[in-house]
Amino acid sequence: MFSENLKALRKQKGMSQETLAQQLHVVRQTVSKWEKNLSVPDADMLIRIAELFEVSVSDLLGEQIQREPEMSQVAAQLALLNEQLANRTRRHRRIFRGVLIGLAAVVVLTLALSFAGAVTFLSVPENLTTVDLVCTLDGEAYGYTITYDQNYRVVEAGGDAWLFDHVGMDEYSDANRQIALIEDYFDLRGGTVTVTEQEAASYAETE
C-alpha cells in the first residue's frame, strides 16, 4: 500500500522524513501521517512523489496488492488522479484561449486607434485662398486663377495657354512667386495686371 511503499522508497534513497518533507515543501508530520496511513496525499502531490522516486503513480499506490478493499482504494485514487489531471488540462486550455483572445483584442484595438488617428489627420480642414488675375497687353486680355493654402502652396492653378507659353509660372509651387512673375512680365512690357483675391472653400489635407 501507499504508506509502506513510501517508507520503503524513502529508505532506499537514504532520506529521513525531514529531508523528504523539505523536498516536497510540507512539514515532517505530514510525511509521518502518510507513512502511518493516517492520511493520503492529493493527486498533485502523488505525482510529485512519484517523480521524486522515479516510479509510476500506480506503483507508488501499490497495484499488486490483492485484497479487494485496498484495490478499491487504489482504483478510487487513480480515478481521482485522472479527474484532477483532466481538470488541470482544461484549465490550462482556458487560460491559453483567454490569452489569445486578449492579444487579438489588443491588436484590433491598436489597429482601430491607428485608423481613427489616420482619419482624423486626413480630415483636418485647411483654408484656401483663390486669386483671379486679369492681365492685359497690346489690347489683349488674359485670365489666370491660382488657389493656394495657408502656406502659400499652390493647390490648383490654370488659365489662358498663352500665359503658360510666355510666362512659365508653372515652374514655381509658391503662389506669391507665380503672382509676382506674372506682374513683372506684364509691367516690363507695358501691360496691366488686376488681382482679385477671395477665400475659397476649405479642403481636407491628404498628404
Side-chain angles (χ1 to χ4, degrees):
M1 63 191 323
F2 169 73
S3 60
E4 296 173 354
N5 291 337
L6 178 62
K7 183 185 295 184
L9 290 169
R10 176 177 62 78
K11 291 183 176 180
Q12 288 177 11
K13 292 286 188 178
M15 293 183 182
S16 64
Q17 288 184 345
E18 183 69 29
T19 302
L20 178 59
Q22 290 176 356
Q23 294 200 23
L24 296 176
H25 303 292
V26 297
V27 297
R28 185 195 62 78
Q29 288 79 359
T30 300
V31 175
S32 177
K33 287 182 180 180
W34 291 342
E35 294 186 352
K36 290 178 182 179
N37 202 25
L38 297 177
S39 66
V40 179
D42 61 19
D44 286 338
M45 183 59 71
L46 282 173
I47 294 174
R48 292 175 59 185
I49 295 171
E51 291 176 347
L52 178 63
F53 292 117
E54 299 178 341
V55 297
S56 66
V57 174
S58 58
D59 288 340
L60 183 63
L61 294 175
E63 278 189 339
Q64 67 271 23
I65 299 176
Q66 298 299 319
R67 286 176 291 177
E68 184 62 26
E70 294 175 355
M71 286 298 293
S72 298
Q73 184 180 8
V74 171
Q77 288 282 353
L78 289 175
L80 178 62
L81 175 62
N82 289 333
E83 182 179 356
Q84 291 187 354
L85 289 175
N87 289 336
R88 184 164 60 180
T89 299
R90 286 194 293 269
R91 184 165 60 250
H92 288 168
R93 287 178 179 174
R94 285 196 298 269
I95 293 173
F96 182 70
R97 189 181 302 114
V99 170
L100 288 180
I101 293 174
L103 289 175
V106 170
V107 171
V108 171
L109 180 60
T110 301
L111 291 176
L113 291 175
S114 298
F115 179 74
V119 170
T120 302
F121 175 75
L122 292 176
S123 61
V124 175
E126 193 167 322
N127 294 327
L128 302 180
T129 301
T130 296
V131 173
D132 293 319
L133 297 94
V134 178
C135 312
T136 60
L137 181 63
D138 298 331
E140 297 290 337
Y142 309 95
Y144 193 70
T145 301
I146 302 173
T147 301
Y148 58 88
D149 61 16
Q150 296 170 344
N151 297 317
Y152 298 97
R153 180 182 56 186
V154 175
V155 176
E156 186 177 4
D160 290 315
W162 186 91
L163 291 171
F164 286 97
D165 295 338
H166 292 80
V167 181
M169 60 282 186
D170 57 328
E171 297 178 4
Y172 302 98
S173 60
D174 182 89
N176 288 330
R177 293 290 302 274
Q178 285 199 10
I179 295 171
L181 189 64
I182 294 173
E183 289 177 335
D184 290 345
Y185 181 88
F186 282 89
D187 286 344
L188 290 173
R189 290 162 178 78
T192 62
V193 177
T194 302
V195 180
T196 303
E197 184 176 297
Q198 60 183 352
E199 185 173 334
S202 298
Y203 82 113
E205 177 64 53
T206 57
E207 294 183 6

